[in-house]
Amino acid sequence: MVATTNEVSVATGVKGTTTLLDIRNVAKSFGPNPVLRDISLQIAEGEFLTILGESGSGKTTLLRIIAGFESADAGEIWMAGERLDRQPPYRRRVNTVFQHYALFPHLTVAENVGYGLRVAKVAKDEIAARVEQALAMVKMAAFAQSKPAKISGGQQQRIALARALVNRPRLLLLDEPLSALDANLRRQMQVELKSLQREVGIAFVFVTHDQEEAMVMSDRIALLRLGELEQVASPREIYSRPATAYTAQFIGHTNLLRGEIKDGIARCSGLSWRTGFRDGPALFSLRPENIRLANAATASGVVRLRGKISRQAFHGATELLQLECAEGLMVSVRTATRENWQGELELEFSPADAVPVRESEERH
Amino acid sequence: MFSRAYRAAITVPPVLWVTIFLVGSYALLFCYSFWTVSSGQTIVHSWTLDNYRELLRVDVYLQTLFRSMGIAARVMIFSLLLGYPLAYYLSFHAGNRKDLLYQLVIIPLWVSYLVRAYAWKTILGSDGVLNTLLQYLHLTKHPLEFLLYSPFAVVLTLTHIYTPFAFLPIYASLEHIPRNLVEASHDLGASPFQTFWRVIFPLSIPGVLAGATFAFVLSLGDFLAPLLLGGPSGIMISNIVVSLFGAAYNWPLGAAISFCMLGLVVGLLFLSERLEKKWSFR
């Protein structure tokens, strides 16, 4: 497995260690197609956990099983010491923010937000007070009497959030709630959602296919691939220490170097460096930003390589260069912006930045 | 964009059709309603409101109209009571039997109205299927007379015939309810029963209104069911119109009644459309 010797494992923001939701060996098939295989995952009180995956990875199905809209074929789900998966959705202290918001079109914004309290037969005065408070929290108090069709997508999104949070659930599920918003609003909502989550202290399980969104918002990311958990870790951990080739490629941009370790020396396409890992065939992930222009002062303890620039892509703050090195090795390098990088470059990287990763097996 | 000839070619036929068969014939009928019939059985082309006065003066017309409305109202209620649960079951709980059941509901519409009305006659008559069965089971000694030639028979037959008409718009409106609204309701703690009353039913109201309008309006103007199964106590307003245009030879009075009916129906359609708009949110 991945060694995290010097690296301090910063479990950013995992509040306390009390487990709120315990998913044990959950599996689900639709007909002959397995959608989830043996998923086990714990979610802590107050945690912001993102289930990240491509379409078809099973992330929405997992969320729907937690909410109770689908039942698992195998496995159990426990919440705060109680079996959750045997209860109908309307008895679970879990609320959902739906992808397309699912606001009731025949009810006003205030009636939508108060719906959960009304069906729970909360006193009228209390409903009014809590709805007002929830609308204030999402800055939508002015729209209390509007019908959902009259407000914009971003505003509907806020109402969906208020409608779920007003019930004070133990756990809030969010199914790609930002996917229908345009880029700017989306970034703004990411920040708002994150600070709202800190404020209310409710555990969020957030589903997305957008790895950047996952990195910005989460305490931990659970990366799902073809119905199995690929890796569960904090954004920093998952980025700097990806466990598998798939993770390394899906989260951010990376170079995969295929080679071999023998007697403590790693060899890949004419490059070699000392490593503490076990002998055998190996695959290394090397982030483009960890490769830099060679510097005379750091001659020792680095791996040097030469390459000819074959492509250049401008990314605003940085430049992504594609280099052709010896033995057909292609590497991506992130550098400061400069117009027209050309010719050959002398580059280097620290062996510690070449992270050994497991091969991701092919599955269908 | 399109040539004049092309536009004319696609516009003229429907306009002609509507002008000749709808506007023209209605205008003629409207004129008739202000004319009279002489003692020599010829139409007198002088303008008068006598036919409309006659309508209000002679009790039987208004009584029959009210009875027709009563029958139509009962048919409407029974069609909704049968059609709604059926539509709800098909839309939400039938699973993969949905298409089959839908076809089964629709199939009677392909069978001639007359055949279905006659079928009820053979079921409800004194020697009919139902009476024979009841006597065979010793539940009754004599045939039940009220079964046939009564408003009961008319309501029963019309309900059977018009339930699919009530069912269809209700089913369509239920099918249009996004399923994530139902999930959202459950998610917010509403039981299936609460979800039905607070989400599903309110969103299906346009379908209910359309279905109710179909059942009521179609029943109100019906004349075959009362003719075949109604007997003297089950006569409806259209039977009177039919006889005025036929044996009684009083086209002007028949036209006047027709126009009152038309006004009533158009008013109802207008009202129903207004209400449907009020209850639709998309």
Side-chain angles (χ1 to χ4, degrees):
Chain A
M1 271 299 292
V2 181
T4 51
T5 38
N6 298 328
E7 192 80 20
V8 182
S9 167
V10 193
T12 36
V14 179
K15 278 107 191 161
T17 47
T18 331
T19 300
L20 174 66
L21 194 77
D22 191 1
I23 301 170
R24 300 179 189 166
N25 310 99
V26 162
K28 173 81 180 170
S29 303
F30 288 126
N33 310 315
V35 183
L36 294 172
R37 315 173 206 224
D38 199 27
I39 301 287
S40 292
L41 183 64
Q42 281 82 40
I43 294 148
E45 299 264 12
E47 183 181 11
F48 195 124
L49 179 112
T50 296
I51 300 174
L52 176 65
E54 297 170 300
S55 65
S57 62
K59 56 190 191 302
T60 295
T61 305
L62 181 56
L63 197 79
R64 290 174 61 80
I65 289 174
I66 301 173
F69 306 137
E70 305 278 356
S71 55
D73 298 340
E76 298 174 1
I77 300 176
W78 291 73
M79 188 162 87
E82 270 180 53
R83 184 88 187 255
L84 191 71
D85 55 313
R86 294 232 174 109
Q87 293 175 11
Y90 50 91
R91 299 239 172 79
R92 301 184 185 197
R93 284 207 59 193
V94 170
N95 284 121
T96 307
V97 175
F98 290 82
Q99 187 172 12
H100 300 289
Y101 321 133
L103 298 180
F104 303 119
H106 58 301
L107 302 180
T108 64
V109 161
E111 286 166 339
N112 261 284
V113 175
Y115 187 89
L117 301 174
R118 246 187 111 181
V119 295
K121 305 201 165 58
V122 172
K124 279 223 163 87
D125 307 346
E126 194 188 336
I127 295 180
R130 278 168 72 176
V131 166
E132 199 179 326
Q133 192 190 351
L135 286 175
M137 180 178 71
V138 296
K139 304 180 191 83
M140 286 294 292
F143 297 87
Q145 296 313 316
S146 308
K147 284 278 169 70
K150 301 275 183 233
I151 61 177
S152 73
Q155 291 169 333
Q156 290 184 29
Q157 158 70 60
R158 288 158 194 263
I159 299 309
L161 198 60
R163 183 177 71 172
L165 286 174
V166 78
N167 305 296
R168 297 173 188 154
R170 311 270 323 245
L171 179 66
L172 188 73
L173 308 176
L174 302 102
D175 186 9
E176 305 214 25
L178 307 181
S179 64
L181 305 179
D182 50 35
N184 278 329
L185 186 57
R186 195 176 167 137
R187 271 192 289 275
Q188 183 195 331
M189 285 302 290
Q190 286 170 3
V191 177
E192 279 186 32
L193 205 57
K194 177 71 198 173
S195 60
L196 189 68
Q197 191 262 340
R198 289 228 176 89
E199 202 180 302
V200 295
I202 292 171
F204 276 29
V205 173
F206 185 94
V207 160
T208 184
H209 62 267
D210 182 334
Q211 50 96 8
E212 220 177 284
E213 194 164 279
M215 302 266 265
V216 171
M217 300 175 77
S218 323
D219 294 327
R220 280 194 308 156
I221 296 173
L223 181 62
L224 207 55
R225 173 176 176 255
L226 301 172
E228 280 185 69
L229 282 173
E230 196 83 3
Q231 189 171 4
V232 183
S234 71
R236 281 174 203 283
E237 170 91 16
I238 211 167
Y239 186 80
S240 58
R241 299 276 149 198
T244 66
Y246 177 80
T247 308
Q249 283 174 310
F250 191 75
I251 312 252
H253 198 93
T254 201
N255 296 296
L256 286 178
L257 309 178
R258 195 173 296 276
E260 200 174 25
I261 303 175
K262 208 176 164 191
D263 305 327
I265 306 285
R267 288 175 207 283
C268 292
S269 314
L271 309 171
S272 63
W273 63 89
R274 297 203 70 79
T275 174
F277 296 101
R278 186 152 55 77
D279 284 6
L283 192 61
F284 294 92
S285 159
L286 180 61
R287 298 284 182 196
E289 65 272 25
N290 290 333
I291 305 177
R292 50 191 181 267
L293 296 174
N295 183 337
T298 56
S300 67
V302 297
V303 183
R304 285 271 165 93
L305 66 162
R306 269 188 92 75
K308 194 167 159 288
I309 296 171
S310 65
R311 202 144 34 94
Q312 175 177 4
F314 178 57
H315 281 246
T318 58
E319 204 88 51
L320 201 63
L321 306 179
Q322 187 85 31
L323 280 97
E324 221 178 306
C325 305
E327 295 186 32
L329 177 70
M330 300 290 290
V331 294
S332 294
V333 180
R334 202 179 285 284
T335 66
T337 56
R338 183 202 318 162
E339 256 183 280
N340 263 337
W341 284 90
Q342 260 176 352
E344 296 221 332
L345 288 180
E346 179 85 22
L347 302 160
E348 64 179 34
F349 65 88
S350 313
D353 289 327
V355 181
V357 293
R358 267 182 293 130
E359 297 266 8
S360 291
E361 52 197 294
E362 293 296 321
R363 274 194 304 257
H364 293 287
Chain B
M1 180 126 182
F2 296 110
S3 74
R4 280 176 72 107
Y6 175 78
R7 266 184 292 168
I10 58 160
T11 317
V12 170
V15 169
L16 268 183
W17 175 276
V18 170
T19 311
I20 295 169
F21 294 107
L22 197 84
V23 180
S25 43
Y26 276 35
L28 187 63
L29 202 65
F30 193 57
C31 293
Y32 264 104
S33 76
F34 297 101
W35 296 335
T36 47
V37 183
S38 73
S39 49
Q41 297 279 293
T42 54
I43 304 290
V44 181
H45 297 228
S46 63
W47 304 93
T48 167
L49 282 171
D50 282 358
N51 295 314
Y52 290 95
R53 280 196 204 100
E54 177 95 353
L55 267 183
L56 296 174
R57 196 173 53 78
V58 182
D59 287 344
V60 70
Y61 299 129
L62 279 183
Q63 273 171 11
T64 312
L65 180 64
F66 286 135
R67 184 193 305 133
S68 303
M69 287 170 74
I71 288 176
R74 273 178 281 169
V75 172
M76 174 184 85
I77 288 166
F78 291 131
S79 300
L80 292 179
L81 287 179
L82 288 171
Y84 198 103
L86 188 64
Y88 177 76
Y89 172 77
L90 245 70
S91 185
F92 283 90
H93 300 291
N96 49 14
R97 282 164 301 188
K98 195 172 183 169
D99 292 337
L100 175 71
L101 288 169
Y102 181 80
Q103 290 304 326
L104 289 178
V105 176
I106 298 304
I107 282 174
L109 294 179
W110 301 107
V111 177
S112 159
Y113 174 105
L114 210 59
V115 170
R116 283 180 286 162
Y118 263 111
W120 281 109
K121 201 168 165 155
T122 59
I123 292 170
L124 300 174
S126 335
D127 298 327
V129 177
L130 192 56
N131 271 321
T132 314
L133 182 72
L134 288 174
Q135 285 171 77
Y136 175 78
L137 294 174
H138 298 285
L139 291 170
T140 56
K141 280 208 176 88
H142 308 287
L144 298 175
E145 295 294 340
F146 73 88
L147 288 180
L148 191 57
Y149 304 125
S150 61
F152 166 80
V154 176
V155 170
L156 183 66
T157 305
L158 291 179
T159 301
H160 169 228
I161 289 168
Y162 292 127
T163 295
F165 287 86
F167 160 86
L168 283 171
I170 296 172
Y171 179 72
S173 70
L174 290 173
E175 284 287 282
H176 274 107
I177 297 175
R179 292 310 189 255
N180 65 3
L181 295 184
V182 177
E183 288 181 350
S185 174
H186 288 317
D187 189 73
L188 292 164
S191 66
F193 184 76
Q194 286 172 315
T195 299
F196 178 78
W197 281 113
R198 290 180 183 277
V199 178
I200 298 172
F201 185 70
L203 292 175
S204 69
I205 285 176
V208 172
L209 286 169
T213 310
F214 273 135
F216 186 86
V217 169
L218 291 171
S219 305
L220 185 67
D222 196 87
F223 79 96
L224 262 174
L227 188 72
L228 293 172
L229 306 140
S233 62
I235 282 200
M236 288 173 72
I237 193 75
S238 297
N239 299 104
I240 290 181
V241 176
V242 168
S243 80
L244 286 171
F245 275 91
Y249 195 68
N250 193 341
W251 285 32
L253 186 57
I257 297 177
S258 301
F259 261 89
C260 290
M261 296 272 295
L262 187 66
L264 186 68
V265 166
V266 169
L268 278 175
L269 293 178
F270 180 74
L271 183 71
S272 143
E273 201 180 301
R274 286 284 298 271
L275 287 173
E276 278 174 49
K277 277 221 180 90
K278 188 170 170 269
W279 280 95
S280 73
F281 304 95
R282 258 156 246 279

